[in-house]
Amino acid sequence: MSFFSAIFDPAMPFVRNALIAGILSSILFGVLGSVVTVKRIAGLAGAISHAVLGGIGLALYLSAKKIVPGLPPIVGALVFALISAALIGLVSLKAKQREDTVINALWAIGMSLGIVFIAKTPGYADPMSYLFGNILLVSTRDLVMLAVLDIAVIFLAWRYYPQIEASAFDEEFARTRGVSTDAVFLVILGVTAIAVVLLQTYVGIVMVIAMLTLPAGTSGYFARNLAGMMAIGTLFSVAFSVAGLAISWGLDLPSGAIVVLVAGATFLAVSALRAGRKA
Amino acid sequence: MNLEIDRARQAEAGASEAAARDAHRAARDAHRVARDAHRVAVRFLGVDFAHREAEVLKNASFHVHEGEFVALIGPNGSGKTTILRLILGLARPGAGSIEVFGAPPELARGAVGYVPQSMSFDRAFPISVEEVVRMGRLSGTGRDCLKGGCSDVDDALAMADVADLRDRPYAALSGGQRRRVLVARALASRPRLLVLDEPTANMDEDSERRLYAVLGSLKGSTTVIIATHDMDFVSALTDVVLCVNGRGGEEAPGGVTRHASGPVERVSSGHYGGAVLQVLHDTDLPDDARCASCASVDPDPDPAAPPAPHGGER
């Protein structure tokens, strides 16, 4: 059965959910990914996404040990994501000379905590599904949360577009025009943290940062402004998701990894073409 | 006896005359202070500023009147950019006070346009010249700057001589063109005070000439403060030369000294886009050197009062 037949097969709702998740995620990858790219905070987003594993591991451990019965991993992930976003944000704003050290420390400590907690969790917990995602795990509740976050991100990007654009283009000038660039930065980090948690189900926490940068980076070659970058990035992301899901279905390969490979190959090809044209 | 009475009367009359004169002088001074406060664009009073415990400014005091063209000179690292950042409200003084149009700098930002020294920007950032200039109309959390057909943006593009570049990607411009676009961005809010940090650094002669033509068109209507590390010459547009002494300054280290400037016979062509003045470092001027020019403009309560001492640089 082909991927496109499976989408309409009532016996396989998870395939349809996977496609819807891919499209809903694409809005975040396109819009939020463009902001992350032009603000040049992909490294910070990467640290947040990896620190999330600590929260997932802790939640699994507390739930399995009946300390907090029924605690869903996503709650632990959200708490860790927001705490690491706040720490990274404050360090970036207040102690720039130690920024790299602290960010890398959070990255490593979060992942290590996650592995330790998962190892000590009774029963079987597969860290691979969190690290690399499993599109088959996407539930209707996940889709609703993704849709709500999409709406919130689109609204914030529309309402505060001039502030986002100015603080990314020339932060000091934005401050002279009364823009609270620190607030813009912290809100972007916070929204990115929440998005990373929701998106990790799709491509996993290791590769979510790739999808937050590759579609936006590719669209940057074609867009004339930030809004165009967001729109084209979303379209690229939809294309990468559909193509990746179809290929992974056809070749029986991990979908998250294939989506990232399609996005990465396209980005490298466009970059090479551009570089060749300039030379 | 009569002589003594006369002397007493004369003394009494003299005293009352002196008192009247004192009162008149006090009233005139109060009027001048009030008038001066109204016309002052920027006032630094005993400002101290330290960066990571390194003292940059120490008891720096100066003021600039509205409409003046000011050259803020000093060697690299002397504190010129610090002064501009203090004016813009991007930094706060450790001691002393700063007023911009009579208000704290943070509250006067709407009246100030800023052209940064060098702006490191992401060449992959997709943005057009018009969008960069539109950014100049940004205010807090507002979205008005996005509205199309804005005459302020059109005027700023025309004034800075970049109207023909409006649809071009910002990253595709030359360094001189980019600098003029940043001037247009600063002008888009129709500022009363324009602050430029080393505007001609690494600029070719033609771009420099065009930039100074733009600034010349603003002279008198907009207060202009230009920071430059050229210690010897300033543009002939300049009304006031303020020298930032730096920490190693022999005289008033960390302070700001007002210098005279004068005509110069020979300079390289294209310098500051035209005629230049030589900075006379040996001739210090009092901070109120140009307050006399205000007196000649403003109505005085006592036209018969002696004019203030001449203190203009030129």
Side-chain angles (χ1 to χ4, degrees), chain A residues 203 207 210-211 214 218 240-241 243-245 247-248 251 253-269:
Chain A
V203 284
M207 287 184 284
M211 285 305 287
L214 292 174
T218 310
F240 298 153
S241 296
L245 285 172
I247 293 168
S248 70
L251 301 178
L253 291 168
S255 56
I258 295 299
V259 169
V260 171
L261 282 176
V262 170
T266 309
F267 175 74
L268 290 176

Side-chain angles (χ1 to χ4, degrees), chain A residues 173-244:
Chain A
F173 183 82
R175 282 208 298 277
T176 69
R177 301 308 305 163
V179 176
S180 178
T181 54
D182 289 354
V184 171
F185 172 65
L186 291 174
V187 169
I188 290 172
L189 268 190
V191 172
T192 304
I194 296 168
V196 157
V197 171
L198 298 189
L199 292 169
Q200 54 88 21
T201 314
Y202 180 42
V203 284
I205 59 181
V206 173
M207 287 184 284
V208 69
I209 193 60
M211 285 305 287
L212 275 174
T213 52
L214 292 174
T218 310
S219 73
Y221 286 119
F222 303 96
R224 292 182 60 83
N225 56 31
L226 180 57
M229 190 175 176
M230 292 173 175
I232 298 172
T234 301
L235 294 178
F236 267 123
S237 193
V238 169
F240 298 153
S241 296
V242 174

Side-chain angles (χ1 to χ4, degrees), chain A residues 22-252:
Chain A
I23 292 168
L24 292 175
S25 300
S26 295
I27 295 171
L28 293 176
F29 291 142
V31 177
L32 191 57
S34 294
V35 176
V36 166
T37 302
V38 295
K39 278 287 286 177
R40 292 189 251 184
I41 55 169
L44 309 191
I48 293 170
S49 70
H50 287 75
V52 154
L53 189 66
I56 291 171
L58 180 61
L60 289 171
Y61 177 80
L62 293 175
S63 178
K65 283 283 193 180
K66 308 288 185 198
I67 298 169
V68 185
L71 181 67
I74 196 170
V75 173
L78 264 178
V79 171
F80 263 57
L82 289 172
I83 289 174
S84 51
L87 284 173
I88 287 170
L90 291 175
V91 169
S92 294
L93 294 175
K94 302 292 178 192
K96 289 189 183 295
Q97 68 274 25
R98 295 277 180 204
E99 189 178 355
D100 279 4
T101 312
V102 174
I103 288 167
N104 286 319
L106 275 174
W107 181 314
I109 290 170
M111 288 206 80
S112 303
L113 274 177
I115 298 296
V116 168
F117 279 124
I118 288 173
K120 297 300 288 179
T121 298
Y124 178 72
D126 180 17
M128 292 294 279
S129 65
Y130 297 106
L131 288 173
F132 299 104
N134 188 343
I135 198 83
L136 300 180
L137 293 177
V138 174
S139 65
T140 306
R141 189 195 63 177
D142 293 332
L143 295 180
V144 171
M145 287 195 295
L146 269 176
V148 170
L149 188 59
D150 278 345
I151 292 167
V153 166
I154 289 171
F155 171 76
L156 289 172
W158 169 79
R159 176 61 188 81
Y160 297 106
Y161 182 82
Q163 288 73 24
I164 294 167
E165 182 188 53
S167 64
F169 182 72
D170 185 351
E171 191 166 13
E172 187 176 69
F173 183 82
R175 282 208 298 277
T176 69
R177 301 308 305 163
V179 176
S180 178
T181 54
D182 289 354
V184 171
F185 172 65
L186 291 174
V187 169
I188 290 172
L189 268 190
V191 172
T192 304
I194 296 168
V196 157
V197 171
L198 298 189
L199 292 169
Q200 54 88 21
T201 314
Y202 180 42
V203 284
I205 59 181
V206 173
M207 287 184 284
V208 69
I209 193 60
M211 285 305 287
L212 275 174
T213 52
L214 292 174
T218 310
S219 73
Y221 286 119
F222 303 96
R224 292 182 60 83
N225 56 31
L226 180 57
M229 190 175 176
M230 292 173 175
I232 298 172
T234 301
L235 294 178
F236 267 123
S237 193
V238 169
F240 298 153
S241 296
V242 174
L245 285 172
I247 293 168
S248 70
W249 177 269
L251 301 178
D252 192 21

Side-chain angles (χ1 to χ4, degrees), chain B residues 45-65:
Chain B
L45 207 58
V47 170
D48 292 354
F49 183 85
H51 180 64
R52 288 182 190 164
E53 296 174 13
E55 204 170 64
V56 180
L57 297 176
K58 183 69 181 171
N59 197 27
S61 296
F62 66 89
H63 73 280
V64 172
H65 296 108

Side-chain angles (χ1 to χ4, degrees), chain B residues 241-291:
Chain B
V241 178
L242 297 174
C243 184
V244 188
N245 302 334
R247 290 188 297 272
E250 292 173 9
E251 186 185 342
V256 175
T257 308
R258 190 177 281 245
H259 285 315
S261 58
V264 60
E265 291 295 320
R266 286 183 302 134
V267 286
S268 61
S269 63
H271 206 74
Y272 293 123
V276 298
L277 298 171
Q278 186 169 20
V279 179
L280 305 175
H281 287 280
D282 294 336
T283 312
D284 292 356
L285 297 170
D287 188 43
D288 61 355
R290 280 183 58 86
C291 293

Side-chain angles (χ1 to χ4, degrees), chain B residues 22-84:
Chain B
D22 287 347
H24 179 80
R25 191 175 296 139
R28 193 185 60 200
D29 288 348
H31 172 79
R32 280 203 175 134
V33 168
R35 177 199 61 205
D36 203 38
H38 176 67
R39 293 186 143 262
V40 167
V42 176
R43 185 191 295 280
F44 273 49
L45 207 58
V47 170
D48 292 354
F49 183 85
H51 180 64
R52 288 182 190 164
E53 296 174 13
E55 204 170 64
V56 180
L57 297 176
K58 183 69 181 171
N59 197 27
S61 296
F62 66 89
H63 73 280
V64 172
H65 296 108
E66 283 201 57
E68 285 181 338
F69 198 105
V70 180
L72 187 66
I73 66 170
N76 285 329
S78 58
K80 301 184 297 295
T81 299
T82 297
I83 288 177
L84 300 189

Side-chain angles (χ1 to χ4, degrees), chain B residues 65-229:
Chain B
H65 296 108
E66 283 201 57
E68 285 181 338
F69 198 105
V70 180
L72 187 66
I73 66 170
N76 285 329
S78 58
K80 301 184 297 295
T81 299
T82 297
I83 288 177
L84 300 189
R85 288 176 59 81
L86 288 165
I87 292 171
L88 292 161
L90 295 174
R92 291 190 176 179
S97 68
I98 300 169
E99 286 183 0
V100 179
F101 298 115
E106 294 82 8
L107 301 181
R109 281 172 172 158
V112 184
Y114 172 50
V115 182
Q117 179 180 7
S118 60
M119 201 196 81
S120 64
F121 76 102
D122 180 5
R123 294 188 74 85
F125 197 117
I127 191 165
S128 70
V129 166
E130 183 178 346
E131 285 169 312
V132 172
V133 175
R134 205 172 283 285
M135 208 178 279
R137 297 191 67 246
L138 183 61
S139 178
T141 56
R143 298 183 82 253
D144 288 350
C145 62
L146 289 180
K147 286 179 183 166
C150 173
S151 64
D152 289 351
V153 172
D154 296 340
D155 292 348
L157 285 162
M159 283 179 76
D161 195 16
V162 288
D164 55 330
L165 305 174
R166 68 186 303 155
D167 295 324
R168 294 266 302 275
Y170 179 77
L173 305 183
S174 70
Q177 288 172 326
R178 279 204 289 270
R179 197 64 60 89
R180 276 187 286 129
V181 169
L182 296 185
V183 172
R185 180 179 69 169
L187 294 176
S189 62
R190 296 193 181 278
R192 292 165 67 190
L193 168 63
L194 183 63
V195 173
L196 304 98
D197 195 356
E198 303 274 4
T200 54
N202 305 318
M203 199 180 247
D204 61 74
E205 275 187 22
D206 181 54
S207 297
E208 197 167 328
R209 182 184 55 74
R210 284 173 173 230
L211 177 68
Y212 271 91
V214 173
L215 298 179
S217 69
L218 298 172
K219 186 168 165 64
S221 60
T222 305
T223 311
V224 177
I225 300 179
I226 293 185
T228 169
H229 66 269

